[in-house]
């Protein structure tokens, strides 16, 4: 299994922390872990590799360091997240460009538009400038995009349409839209949909996403967690306080694959195999011989 989106170098995974795993069709909290132990457990649970995209400009440095140390387990994507663009300076364009020239970069992102918090027009404009700049960067490098689009589909689609010839594939990460938006991103732009914890939330949150998963061909779906964020619905026997503190991890991927299999009437093994192939195709990640 491949986690196509996790933030392992993020500060929530520094020191010791409680984290979520999926055992016997239930979510459990491991009370005490650290980043190294989590990565070892991910490997022993059949996670073959993962992709870590940038959040802010500084995060690029941390991701590149952790990726180098991980010996092919963590693939880095370079960029500047739409919610962090607001604080970015002019010199940050050069910094991101310099990071993108380093070895082993497989994508540009997270980039896109997020209107959930940013209601001011000048903030949205800054997001659009960074989005367009990162599309150009990805195009110049021939790399796919990791898109973060939240409550901003209309503007995002406009920008993508203007840049159709510059697109080299990629993913709409943490997709939570309906069947219509799914069709536009996949059929019109050839993008995959990153399916994660939202599919395991309360019915109100996941209803329209379920429709999208049912109607979208599995060749366009990839698995992700967005750990430490985007947790599944809290189990009844875990207190709210405990659940809030626990980090989401790649260990919940089997639950996402099972849910997709159930919705599409497919075998779980096929969902895992095809979504893994999709990640390898889109991000050009080679299969290691021992990883079968
Ligand atoms: Zn993310």
């Amino acid at each position: 299994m491949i986690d196509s989106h996790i933030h392992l170098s993020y500060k929530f995974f520094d020191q010791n922390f409680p984290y979520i795993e999926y055992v016997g069709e239930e979510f459990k909290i491991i009370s005490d872990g650290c980043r190294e132990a989590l990565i070892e457990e991910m490997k022993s649970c059949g996670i073959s590799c993962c992709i870590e995209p940038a959040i802010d400009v500084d995060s690029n440095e941390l991701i590149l360091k952790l990726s180098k140390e991980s010996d092919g387990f963590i693939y880095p994507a370079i960029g500047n997240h739409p919610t962090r663009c607001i604080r970015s300076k002019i010199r940050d364009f050069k910094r991101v460009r310099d990071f993108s020239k380093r070895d082993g970069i497989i994508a540009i992102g997270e980039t896109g538009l997020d209107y959930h918090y940013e209601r001011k027009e000048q903030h949205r404009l800054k997001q659009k400038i960074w989005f367009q700049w990162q599309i150009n960067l990805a195009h110049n490098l021939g790399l796919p995009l990791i898109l973060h689009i939240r409550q901003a589909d209309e503007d995002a689609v406009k920008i993508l349409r203007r840049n159709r010839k510059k697109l080299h594939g990629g993913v709409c990460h943490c997709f939570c839209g309906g069947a219509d938006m799914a069709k536009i991103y996949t059929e019109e732009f050839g993008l995959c949909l990153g399916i994660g914890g939202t599919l395991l939330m309360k019915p109100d949150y996941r209803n329209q996403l379920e429709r999208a998963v049912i109607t979208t061909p599995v060749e366009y779906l990839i698995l992700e967690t967005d750990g430490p964020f985007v947790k599944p619905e809290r189990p009844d026997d875990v207190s709210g306080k405990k659940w809030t503190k626990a980090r989401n991890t790649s260990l919940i991927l089997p639950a996402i694959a099972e849910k997709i299999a159930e919705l599409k009437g497919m075998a779980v093994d096929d969902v895992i195999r095809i979504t893994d192939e999709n990640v390898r195709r889109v991000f050009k990640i080679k299969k290691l011989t021992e990883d079968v």
Side-chain angles (χ1 to χ4, degrees):
M1 259 172 302
I2 303 177
D3 190 344
S4 68
H5 196 115
I6 183 166
H7 300 283
L8 280 170
S9 65
Y10 194 64
K11 61 185 176 193
F12 281 13
F13 289 125
D14 290 346
Q15 286 139 8
N16 277 12
F17 50 83
Y19 63 97
I20 301 169
E21 66 169 5
Y22 182 65
V23 188
E25 305 199 349
E26 272 177 50
F27 295 108
K28 297 238 163 65
I29 296 179
I30 294 176
S31 53
D32 203 19
C34 64
R35 179 181 285 118
E36 292 70 28
L38 170 61
I39 290 174
E40 281 315 306
E41 197 180 349
M42 283 164 64
K43 288 178 183 171
S44 68
C45 289
I47 314 275
S48 51
C49 61
C50 52
I51 297 173
E52 174 155 3
I55 301 181
D56 55 15
V57 177
D58 287 339
S59 74
N60 289 292
E61 186 78 66
L62 296 172
I63 292 166
L64 287 165
K65 186 172 175 287
L66 190 64
S67 159
K68 205 172 169 191
E69 290 165 2
S70 81
D71 198 21
F73 185 68
I74 301 168
Y75 289 90
I78 291 304
N80 192 11
H81 193 287
T83 59
R84 312 301 166 108
C85 294
I86 286 84
R87 290 191 292 274
S88 301
K89 310 275 188 302
I90 291 287
R91 68 168 185 273
D92 287 329
F93 288 111
K94 185 181 179 308
R95 289 180 68 206
V96 174
R97 188 190 303 279
D98 288 346
F99 285 129
S100 75
K101 288 177 186 157
R102 305 264 281 266
D103 286 343
I105 310 299
I106 59 153
I108 297 299
E110 299 182 38
T111 182
L113 301 173
D114 188 323
Y115 292 173
H116 182 71
Y117 301 107
E118 302 308 336
R119 314 215 179 269
K120 289 184 184 161
E121 201 44 52
Q122 72 262 36
H123 287 176
R124 292 183 174 186
L125 184 63
K126 204 163 174 184
Q127 289 193 1
K128 287 179 192 167
I129 291 167
W130 268 96
F131 186 20
Q132 180 62 59
W133 186 84
Q134 290 179 91
I135 290 174
N136 293 345
L137 180 67
H139 176 48
N140 291 336
L141 297 166
L143 289 175
L145 291 164
I146 296 178
L147 298 176
H148 171 109
I149 298 164
R150 192 177 185 193
Q151 294 171 15
D153 288 310
E154 201 183 321
D155 280 0
V157 166
K158 264 189 219 162
I159 291 173
L160 290 170
R161 281 189 179 137
R162 277 206 305 266
N163 288 278
R164 204 186 296 276
K165 289 191 178 133
K166 293 184 183 172
L167 302 179
H168 300 260
V171 59
C172 259
H173 125 78
C174 200
F175 182 77
C176 48
D180 292 350
M181 281 320 300
K183 203 171 157 87
I184 292 174
Y185 287 123
T186 56
E187 284 185 13
E188 192 177 336
F189 303 117
L191 298 164
C192 281
L193 309 178
I195 307 296
T198 311
L199 199 60
L200 308 171
M201 288 180 182
K202 288 195 176 106
D204 277 1
Y205 291 96
R206 62 165 202 256
N207 276 345
Q208 66 163 3
L209 176 60
E210 287 189 350
R211 291 293 318 152
V213 168
I214 289 167
T215 55
T216 304
V218 69
E219 283 69 28
Y220 284 117
L221 304 182
I222 62 177
L223 308 180
E224 67 162 62
T225 59
D226 206 13
F229 314 108
V230 194
K231 290 171 213 171
E233 186 183 351
R234 175 171 63 87
D236 292 338
D237 59 344
V238 179
S239 74
K241 209 173 156 192
K242 259 185 134 179
W243 197 246
T244 307
K245 279 191 184 157
R247 318 298 191 219
N248 191 17
T249 73
S250 310
L251 303 174
I252 72 156
L253 285 181
I256 300 164
E258 280 169 21
K259 184 77 189 174
I260 294 174
E262 179 196 316
L263 290 169
K264 296 188 84 63
M266 292 174 64
V268 183
D269 286 352
D270 288 339
V271 170
I272 292 172
R273 179 178 53 79
I274 297 168
T275 52
D276 275 15
E277 282 169 8
N278 297 342
V279 178
R280 293 188 187 279
R281 182 182 71 246
V282 171
F283 297 100
K284 299 186 177 66
I285 296 173
K286 284 200 195 83
K287 204 164 183 176
L288 300 173
T289 36
E290 67 266 28
D291 161 32
V292 268

